[in-house]
Amino acid sequence: MSTTRKHTALPKAQILIEALPWLVRHNGKTVVIKFGGNAMVDEDLKAAFAQDVVFLHHAGLKPVVVHGGGPQISAALDQHGIVSEFKAGLRVTTEDAMDVVRMVLAGQVQRELVGLLNQHGPLAVGLTGEDAHTITATKHQPEIDGELVDIGRVGEITAIDTGAIEALLADGRIPVVSSIARSQDDGHVYNVNADTAAAALAAALGAETLMVLTDVEGLYEDWPHSDEVISRLTASELERLLPDLSSGMVPKMEGCLHAVRGGVTTARVIDGRVQHSILLEIFTDEGIGTMVVADEKPEGPGGQGES
């Protein structure tokens, strides 16, 4: 019996030991995680996501979760008889629609996520960008065919105040941030892209890592002709690829670019359809998805050695 136990337990020990250098490297570091895609609607993936975030917390990291809620917002607008319209890849957000967006993000998606995390202890605290001036924005007007287009209460981030998030992290909590911003100009609020918000927060917090959950394996080498994933690229390499990316990947990859140019060590796009993808990315030698690092400096390697 003891021999059987020894053999079945040994692989578990080896897995833990493989995680050791990564535990040492990431201890005390802030990691910003953008929660979205299938991981946000599939019950098993949601539960696994909460376990991963709590694991990071207990492993000595400081996770901050940022979320949007596209599918939930569309469903709620439908219930309220408000048509979902998109221009330049962004949701047209009227005043009526904004009320629904705010209600869904802060009152539904965030509450559910906070509840899942708090099944593991008194950890998660929900806030929106409105709280303590965490995210400030002004009106965003995209350019379509050479003209600026009014898409309503869609915001462009102008300032980040990390005070409330840093206070929560210092208190051993897990902040869960809804991607709504206060207005710089008037008393209203803005709907902001959650990928963009996560990247801006990661840079402002001086995070070690930005992780963006997606519904693809990563950034593909030559899509649709190949499903080979680019595992690592520099900021400049990514910048060259941006014009050719699909519209859904643009805000995610622009966010990664903004983060590493803003001092975040690595930004990663990972497959949120894989259970425990966050742990696989942070604590194993293989890593999954696509990792963006800063451009290498002439005097020596920059940001190398990550997996």
Side-chain angles (χ1 to χ4, degrees), residues 19 22-34 48-65 117 120 123 169 172-174 208-213 268 270 276-284:
W22 309 106
L23 283 164
V24 172
R25 171 174 295 179
H26 295 300
N27 193 271
K29 301 286 175 60
T30 299
V31 52
V32 175
I33 306 164
K34 161 39 182 25
F49 174 83
Q51 287 174 328
D52 285 6
V53 172
V54 171
F55 188 99
L56 294 185
H57 169 80
H58 287 299
L61 286 82
K62 297 176 177 177
V64 175
V65 179
L117 291 165
H120 303 279
L123 297 169
L169 291 174
R173 311 293 178 182
I174 300 171
E208 170 77 6
T209 300
L210 167 68
M211 305 184 87
V212 181
L213 268 66
R268 305 142 187 257
I270 62 172
H276 305 300
S277 54
I278 292 170
L279 297 189
L280 289 169
E281 180 65 21
I282 284 199
F283 293 126
T284 70

Side-chain angles (χ1 to χ4, degrees), residues 232-237 293-305:
R232 181 184 186 278
L233 74 169
T234 65
S236 291
E237 287 167 345
V293 297
D295 294 315
E296 293 178 6
K297 298 178 177 63
E299 67 269 21
Q304 286 197 339

Side-chain angles (χ1 to χ4, degrees), residues 34-38 40 66-71 89-90 193-200 210-219 233 238 242 245-260 266-272 290-292:
K34 161 39 182 25
F35 179 59
N38 266 322
M40 186 181 255
V66 180
H67 73 89
L90 297 166
N193 181 286
D195 297 312
T196 310
L210 167 68
M211 305 184 87
V212 181
L213 268 66
T214 64
D215 285 342
V216 292
E217 292 172 67
L219 194 59
L233 74 169
L238 172 57
L242 275 176
L245 298 184
S246 65
S247 60
M249 283 301 275
V250 168
K252 294 175 185 3
M253 299 316 300
E254 279 182 344
C256 288
L257 183 63
H258 174 83
V260 296
T266 64
R268 305 142 187 257
V269 172
I270 62 172
D271 193 344
T290 297
M291 183 175 74
V292 183

Side-chain angles (χ1 to χ4, degrees), residues 73-93:
I73 290 168
S74 293
L77 288 172
D78 210 29
Q79 285 173 353
H80 285 79
I82 300 170
V83 177
S84 287
E85 188 187 353
F86 290 85
K87 288 182 181 175
L90 297 166
R91 184 185 298 275
V92 177
T93 310

Side-chain angles (χ1 to χ4, degrees), residues 117-192:
L117 291 165
N118 285 344
Q119 285 177 12
H120 303 279
L123 297 169
V125 177
L127 64 155
T128 79
E130 302 166 70
D131 294 313
H133 293 186
T134 299
I135 305 174
T136 300
T138 190
K139 191 180 188 72
H140 173 62
Q141 291 188 291
E143 193 175 303
I144 303 174
D145 299 330
E147 288 187 25
L148 294 178
V149 179
D150 188 345
I151 53 171
R153 306 282 332 159
V154 175
E156 192 166 312
I157 296 170
T158 55
I160 297 281
D161 185 329
T162 58
I165 291 174
E166 286 176 346
L168 288 167
L169 291 174
D171 193 35
R173 311 293 178 182
I174 300 171
V176 178
V177 187
S178 305
S179 60
I180 305 164
R182 67 183 279 268
S183 171
Q184 179 180 292
D185 317 303
D186 53 37
H188 296 282
V189 294
Y190 283 111
N191 181 15
V192 295

